[in-house]
């Protein structure tokens, strides 16, 4: 029986085409620059985001951390969203690895840090201040909203005026591009470096890309090596990454449409209220106190549907290549059955 896994888009499995590509991949020692498949992935990735160079890294967290380390100096300060992945979900890596202070700005419900607060967050040359060495943005934001291009542009103008680079956590960059109906490079033209995940909605089994200028990537490669990310015959994992980039990035509107369908159905169920960002493949919802979410998790599991537990009554379902309309109908029916019991 099929398992319907709604916990995240990180649960996607490589397609048959990806597995075949893995089997056939040309490989070499990537630290020597000899892995042709990885070189090709990096070339295609740089092109896709409109940057000079790119490098393959093991995960999104790795990519963000290596980017922060490469842009900043120990003891300096970076500006980032209070709810950003880099701040919340990367085990405090920016403090440990880069030794930077986090100047956090609370994002509004659209995932945007108010422009005025970014401006005032940039430190002056006052002898008491640390230097501001980086601004981090997240697009799509983890709250399900996509940052508009005008906003990216406005932040980039401030950053340029102060000669501060911008790093973009684009774990779901292609979801953002799909929503905005632009190529990924249109988003990335406002930033100095970007990290995007091949392993989420794009369905590759492993890996992320960090892209930036030649100079940035050559420094970042040294940092990648230092952090233990100098992998060898990476062609076997880069090969599905190429398919992820070239093919899977073009099918994300299906996941977005399915998420919309899911929200519409869920909203009709009494006790459920759809909330949060509705731009991509994330279905945020709140339940009222008549619903025991933990019991719902167990009930659905019995029916081969996997969901995460709630946080204070808030839950999140995620659509991806492994979730069809029928799966959503089955899940909705199962939730109704649960509420009947
Ligand atoms: C916005 C964002 N950034 C970074 C990451 C980290 O990616 P990884 O799980 O590959 O480390 C995630 C993962 O969910 C994410 O949602």
């Amino acid at each position: 029986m099929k398992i319907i896994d709604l916990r995240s888009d990180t649960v996607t499995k490589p397609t048959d085409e990806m597995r075949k590509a893995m089997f056939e991949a040309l490989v070499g020692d990537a630290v020597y620059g000899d892995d042709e498949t990885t070189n090709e992935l990096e070339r295609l990735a740089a092109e896709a985001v409109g940057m000079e160079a790119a490098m393959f890294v093991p995960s999104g967290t790795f990519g963000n951390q290596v980017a922060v380390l490469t842009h900043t100096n120990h003891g300096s300060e970076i500006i980032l969203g209070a709810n950003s992945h880099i701040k919340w979900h990367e085990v405090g890596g920016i403090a440990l690895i880069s030794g930077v202070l986090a100047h956090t700005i609370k994002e509004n419900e659209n995932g945007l840090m108010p422009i005025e607060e970014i401006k005032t967050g940039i430190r002056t040359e006052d002898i008491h201040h640390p230097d501001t060495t980086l601004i981090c943005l997240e697009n799509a934001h983890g709250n399900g909203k996509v940052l508009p291009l005008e906003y990216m542009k406005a932040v980039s103008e401030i950053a340029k005026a102060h000669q501060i680079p911008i790093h973009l956590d684009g774990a779901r960059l292609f979801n953002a591009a799909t929503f905005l109906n632009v190529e990924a490079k249109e988003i990335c033209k406002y930033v100095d470096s970007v990290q995007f995940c091949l392993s989420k909605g794009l369905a590759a089994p492993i890996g992320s890309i960090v892209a930036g200028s030649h100079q940035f990537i050559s420094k970042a490669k040294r940092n990648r090596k230092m952090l233990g990310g100098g992998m060898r015959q990476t062609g076997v994992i880069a090969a599905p990454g190429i398919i992820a980039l070239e093919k899977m990035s073009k099918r994300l509107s299906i996941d977005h449409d399915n998420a919309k369908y899911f929200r519409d159905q869920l909203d009709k169920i009494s006790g459920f209220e759809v909330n949060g960002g509705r731009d991509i493949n994330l279905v945020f919802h709140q339940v009222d106190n008549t619903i025991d979410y933990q019991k719902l998790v167990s009930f659905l599991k019995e029916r081969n549907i996997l969901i995460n537990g709630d946080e204070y009554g808030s839950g999140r379902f995620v659509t991806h290549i492994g979730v069809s309309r029928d799966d959503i109908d089955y899940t909705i029916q199962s939730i109704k059955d649960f509420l009947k019991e």
Side-chain angles (χ1 to χ4, degrees), residues 40-52:
E40 178 65 357
L41 169 63
E42 291 176 344
R43 191 187 66 72
L44 291 168
E47 197 177 283
V49 296
M51 301 256 178
E52 285 174 6

Side-chain angles (χ1 to χ4, degrees), residues 243-256:
I243 296 166
L245 184 61
E246 299 223 292
K247 269 199 166 170
M248 297 300 177
S249 60
K250 305 210 164 47
R251 59 155 301 286
L252 295 173
S253 60
I254 301 172
D255 300 340
H256 294 187

Side-chain angles (χ1 to χ4, degrees), residues 48-157:
V49 296
M51 301 256 178
E52 285 174 6
M55 70 173 186
F56 188 48
V57 293
S59 68
T61 301
F62 195 113
N64 286 333
Q65 291 300 322
V66 84
V68 173
L69 179 63
T70 307
H71 280 299
T72 61
N73 311 314
H74 212 87
S76 65
E77 188 168 73
I78 69 172
I79 294 177
L80 75 175
N83 294 311
S84 63
H85 195 277
I86 296 178
K87 171 65 173 53
W88 263 99
H89 296 290
E90 301 193 1
V91 207
I94 53 167
L96 185 69
I97 300 169
S98 302
V100 292
L101 286 161
H103 178 98
T104 56
I105 298 177
K106 195 163 171 2
E107 303 92 328
N108 65 18
E109 61 186 22
N110 292 324
L112 312 180
M113 296 184 279
I115 294 285
E116 272 314 307
E117 290 186 40
I118 297 179
K119 278 189 192 158
T120 53
I122 296 172
R123 299 296 196 135
T124 65
E125 282 176 8
D126 185 306
I127 194 171
H128 303 90
H129 289 184
D131 287 335
T132 302
T133 47
L134 185 66
I135 297 171
C136 297
L137 296 176
E138 186 174 303
N139 203 6
H141 194 276
N143 74 354
K145 290 299 291 180
V146 171
L147 278 47
L149 293 179
E150 310 82 69
Y151 177 81
M152 305 278 308
K153 183 165 183 273
V155 178
S156 90
E157 280 165 5

